[in-house]
Amino acid sequence: MTRVRGLLFGGDYNPEQWPEEVWAEDVRLMAEAGVNMATVAVFSWSRLEPRPGVYDWGWLDRVLDLLHEYGIAADLATATATPPPWLVREHPEVMPVDAAGTRLEFGSRQGYCPSSPVFKQHAVRLARAVAERYKDHPALAMWHISNEYADHTLECFCPESARHFRSWLEKRYGSVDALNQAWGTSCWGQHYTNLDQVEPPRKAPGPVNPSQLVDWRRFCSDALLELFGAEKSVLREITPDIPVTTNFMSILHGLDYWKWAAEEDVVSDDAYPDPADPESHVAVALSYDLMRSLKRKPWLLLESAPSAVSWREVNVPKPPGMMRLHSLQALAHGSDGVMFFQWRQAHYGPEKFHSAMLPHGGTSTRGWQDTLRLGRDLRNLAEIAGTSTKADVALILDWDSWWGLEAPESMPSNRLRLKELLLAWYAPLHARGINVDLARPDEDLSGYRVVIAPNLYMCTAESLRTVTGQLVVGPFSGVVDPNDHVHPGGAPGPLKTMLGIEVDEFWPLPDGVTQETTAGIAHTWAEWIRPIDAEVVATYQGGELDGLPAITRKGDAYYVSCLLDDPTAILSIEGLDLPDGVEATRRENYLFLLNHATTPKKVILPTPGRDLLTQQDLEGEIEIAPRDAIVLKESSDTPVYP
Ligand code: GLA
């Protein structure tokens, strides 16, 4: 991942918020805690380039030298996340404009128009200057481009963005006729005679053309990726051997992370599960699995909260043990380190109440003791760095389909939300300790015993063709083509032959209404389906759909036409028998057992081994304390996958 050995440990370090006297204490305490990497200069543009083309490197030179002196590597930011005031005042057009036409004001962060050539030119100039300055600095271990793309600014509706959108459309369609065809502009009198007439989907009197909306989502993801790419190519040119990352935001609707990850060396993620939600460890496990799946290799938890965040309505702290447990959970799902936002708790600004590795109260706090303890744990676990994860189950996630599914105002029901659909399948698998990969519908899926597409609203002839194991397709799939046009003959379109069914009519259920089936209670959605050559596995019971098929099967291809609380009974895969709240995950021959419950839990180990956290040999039935974990290095050389 980087040249730093073992697992990475550290956090965002913002020394420019502190007098220099504090820096010496920072690095001394970092070393004491075992910190080996710090993310620096994320929001430092206005300090590094206080006037156009005039740089002030002195402070950052000293910070990097200090870090290096204490054996701490730098995940060095290109510092382009927030444009400086001089750039905004000289070129107000670098600030983004919202859908109602208001240009946003300076005074927060990450305010820039993704399509602004002026912003891009200045950002690339700074990235080049930073890279030239620090290319040979011994602390430099990784490049961190910008920060959380799409946070605060995912889209901009200014004239420059409109121009950029039109040129993106021109590349995609080649002509206005092709665009008219793709967008179905014969509907509601939207026929264009020139591409120049096309605008971004600003606030309109009524529902906006859904094909236009899907293209807008594609464009917005691509426009930011272009910006990232412009900085990356400068870094590649100057430091070809330094890995590049940008921090993702877990499962994010706005950016197609498959496309993005292909442009990165290291996938990194920022994850903030809510301590107030007792099930948050399940949803976060799903996003960790996505991060690992994006490159099918270890990734890095680049930001997490040591305790409370500062941006929810109510920011609940992590109770004792949770920070450690959640950190170990990221490792269990393939992260090669645990990093935090941030190192030292701020004294001012919007994040002054956000927790940190070194809290306001200093080294006498519970937080600092937690930091020290985690540092020790990570040293004990160093040997898991680089180990891989094998999964027999793939969950399909496709951004085009997601964008189509969640386009507002034109669907049979607005209640189908992709993250919830994914989670409905993922949670029961997770509860049985079954490793899961996320996958694209058009990649080689032949290595998986089970492939589940909870929903694939948008689908092509190539989708899911390579599945050789069991295939399970969820409702409202195979509905439209990539232009958001319904497939001829209706759903499930190109999946019809594979699944052996036809959908006669979608049957969304009103809020709070349920529908019985022989496979359990359905909610939110049902369908009137007709088997062609599929057998019926389960039927609807009672109501308008009484006796009609709810689940069908043609060979190994299943169609589930409704949403069930636990749809996994039909899967041909066995898991572990785990007590409630206990999570089990494997990386090669390391078995992670994590007890998220507040009571002790007993587990029977599948094989004897040594717990790397306590250095104790364990076998048979063991007890895991509340919010505690075991990382078992199994004695057997042959890993047994659940
Ligand atoms: C994100 C940002 C950080 C910080 C944290 C707070 O992860 O990247 O700069 O604001 O949120 O949780």
Side-chain angles (χ1 to χ4, degrees):
M1 176 169 288
T2 67
R3 57 175 179 70
V4 182
R5 277 214 220 101
L7 296 168
L8 295 166
F9 179 45
D12 277 42
Y13 180 38
N14 294 304
E16 64 270 48
Q17 295 178 15
W18 298 92
E20 282 206 36
E21 309 84 82
V22 177
W23 301 356
E25 186 190 50
D26 281 329
V27 285
R28 183 176 60 72
L29 291 175
M30 283 182 193
E32 188 183 326
V35 165
N36 55 14
M37 183 178 268
T39 298
V40 226
V42 176
F43 297 106
S44 304
W45 191 342
S46 61
R47 296 292 299 270
L48 288 176
E49 191 183 1
R51 284 180 299 287
V54 177
Y55 300 103
D56 175 8
W57 303 116
W59 67 272
L60 188 53
D61 290 354
R62 293 194 291 286
V63 167
L64 291 177
D65 290 352
L66 254 181
L67 288 171
H68 181 61
E69 192 186 317
Y70 281 77
I72 299 155
D75 164 37
L76 181 56
T78 53
T80 52
T82 301
W86 57 258
L87 179 56
V88 174
R89 295 301 170 233
E90 264 179 38
H91 297 279
E93 75 276 15
V94 300
M95 291 300 283
V97 171
D98 70 12
T102 309
R103 192 174 290 283
L104 305 185
E105 183 45 278
F106 185 81
S108 180
R109 64 173 178 181
Q110 280 155 271
Y112 52 82
C113 161
S115 298
S116 161
V118 174
F119 177 76
K120 191 201 272 182
Q121 180 205 330
H122 283 82
V124 168
R125 185 173 76 173
L126 180 65
R128 179 174 290 282
V130 173
E132 287 292 359
R133 179 80 188 178
Y134 297 113
K135 61 177 191 272
D136 297 320
H137 198 287
L140 175 64
M142 183 157 73
W143 286 117
H144 179 110
I145 298 186
S146 190
N147 192 63
E148 289 192 341
Y149 282 100
D151 184 31
H152 307 298
T153 305
L154 163 64
E155 55 191 2
C156 170
F157 295 85
C158 75
E160 197 58 67
S161 298
R163 252 194 301 282
H164 196 195
F165 184 40
R166 283 190 288 270
S167 78
W168 183 94
L169 290 168
E170 186 153 19
K171 272 191 216 116
R172 185 174 174 88
Y173 296 113
S175 71
V176 71
D177 289 347
L179 177 131
N180 278 316
Q181 170 62 30
W183 284 12
T185 54
S186 305
C187 175
W188 285 6
Q190 293 172 1
H191 191 84
Y192 295 99
T193 49
N194 192 312
L195 278 177
D196 289 344
Q197 297 158 352
V198 177
E199 289 289 331
R202 298 199 185 88
K203 198 161 168 39
V208 170
N209 183 327
S211 306
Q212 179 182 3
L213 286 178
V214 171
D215 268 348
W216 177 248
R217 292 269 68 84
R218 290 176 175 131
F219 162 75
C220 289
S221 176
D222 284 358
L224 282 168
L225 185 55
E226 213 177 296
L227 200 54
F228 167 85
E231 287 196 39
K232 191 190 88 173
S233 51
V234 166
L235 302 177
R236 271 279 179 280
E237 175 199 322
I238 300 171
T239 55
D241 298 328
I242 301 293
V244 170
T245 194
T246 185
N247 42 350
F248 287 168
M249 287 187 284
S250 301
I251 301 189
L252 184 77
H253 178 254
L255 302 182
D256 180 345
Y257 280 155
W258 294 117
K259 256 183 149 176
W260 276 72
E263 303 299 321
E264 291 192 304
D265 300 312
V266 173
V267 168
S268 63
D269 191 36
D270 299 350
Y272 294 96
D274 187 353
D277 171 5
E279 293 303 309
S280 67
H281 63 281
V282 182
V284 84
L286 171 63
S287 60
Y288 290 164
D289 283 345
L290 171 65
M291 293 304 139
R292 188 193 64 245
S293 303
L294 288 171
K295 279 187 167 306
R296 298 290 194 279
K297 63 180 193 187
W299 57 282
L300 177 61
L301 178 65
L302 198 51
E303 284 185 34
S304 54
S307 187
V309 298
S310 55
W311 40 262
R312 291 196 171 99
E313 283 297 308
V314 177
N315 299 299
V316 172
K318 291 186 175 169
M322 188 183 271
M323 179 276 254
R324 174 175 180 264
L325 187 63
H326 283 190
S327 301
L328 296 173
Q329 188 191 17
L331 304 179
H333 288 269
S335 176
D336 266 1
V338 180
M339 310 267 297
F340 293 94
F341 181 84
Q342 59 179 331
W343 162 251
R344 185 184 274 276
Q345 192 167 21
H347 270 188
Y348 51 81
E351 296 185 311
K352 58 184 175 298
F353 299 122
H354 195 293
S355 59
M357 298 170 79
L358 180 60
H360 289 149
T363 53
S364 50
T365 53
R366 170 177 83 96
W368 176 247
Q369 291 312 312
D370 283 351
T371 300
L372 292 179
R373 182 175 187 200
L374 184 61
R376 286 194 294 274
D377 285 333
L378 294 183
R379 285 196 291 284
N380 287 332
L381 297 176
E383 65 188 74
I384 68 158
T387 54
S388 58
T389 304
K390 180 182 179 324
D392 284 330
V393 178
L395 266 189
I396 300 297
L397 168 55
D398 175 63
W399 262 268
D400 274 357
S401 189
W402 190 359
W403 291 329
L405 177 72
E406 294 191 13
E409 301 186 298
S410 59
M411 297 309 238
S413 163
N414 286 338
R415 297 289 182 266
L416 293 183
R417 315 301 293 175
L418 191 73
K419 273 200 218 174
E420 288 166 23
L421 302 183
L422 287 168
L423 211 51
W425 286 93
Y426 183 83
L429 293 166
H430 175 266
R432 277 141 64 195
I434 296 170
N435 281 0
V436 175
D437 275 351
L438 280 289
R440 284 173 288 122
D442 54 353
E443 71 178 273
D444 181 2
L445 298 163
S446 60
Y448 293 102
R449 280 174 53 198
V450 178
V451 174
I452 306 164
N455 167 267
L456 196 57
Y457 166 70
M458 191 174 281
C459 144
T460 69
E462 277 71 53
S463 304
L464 309 175
R465 288 294 145 187
T466 56
V467 177
T468 53
Q470 185 185 22
L471 171 66
V472 180
V473 176
F476 204 44
S477 292
V479 182
V480 296
D481 68 13
N483 294 327
D484 204 25
H485 295 196
V486 173
H487 284 293
L495 305 175
K496 202 175 284 185
T497 312
M498 206 188 294
L499 297 171
I501 58 119
E502 283 174 340
V503 177
D504 197 294
E505 207 167 349
F506 305 123
W507 214 273
L509 303 174
D511 292 343
V513 172
T514 54
Q515 163 73 54
E516 273 189 44
T517 81
T518 53
I521 306 284
H523 58 90
T524 313
W525 185 271
E527 286 170 8
W528 184 308
I529 59 173
R530 261 194 325 270
I532 312 167
D533 52 359
E535 24 172 315
V536 177
V537 173
T539 53
Y540 290 107
Q541 299 283 291
E544 304 294 343
L545 301 175
D546 187 36
L548 292 173
I551 302 178
T552 59
R553 138 180 214 186
K554 178 180 170 185
D556 272 340
Y558 288 69
Y559 185 65
V560 181
S561 66
C562 53
L563 297 188
L564 297 165
D565 283 337
D566 179 358
T568 54
I570 54 170
L571 298 184
S572 50
I573 190 147
E574 301 253 312
L576 298 174
D577 189 10
L578 295 167
D580 267 4
V582 173
E583 175 174 7
T585 312
R586 276 176 193 283
R587 290 179 72 164
E588 296 182 7
N589 60 325
Y590 299 92
L591 175 65
F592 288 74
L593 289 165
L594 309 154
N595 181 8
H596 294 279
T598 50
T599 51
K601 297 284 173 170
K602 290 200 162 76
V603 177
I604 299 172
L605 298 178
T607 33
R610 167 163 286 227
D611 176 16
L612 295 181
L613 293 168
T614 57
Q615 297 300 324
Q616 273 181 354
D617 291 328
L618 301 176
E619 65 176 303
E621 189 181 64
I622 53 141
E623 186 173 278
I624 315 176
R627 293 207 187 98
D628 202 356
I630 282 166
V631 183
L632 194 75
K633 180 178 189 179
E634 294 181 328
S635 313
S636 148
D637 287 340
T638 326
V640 191
Y641 291 106

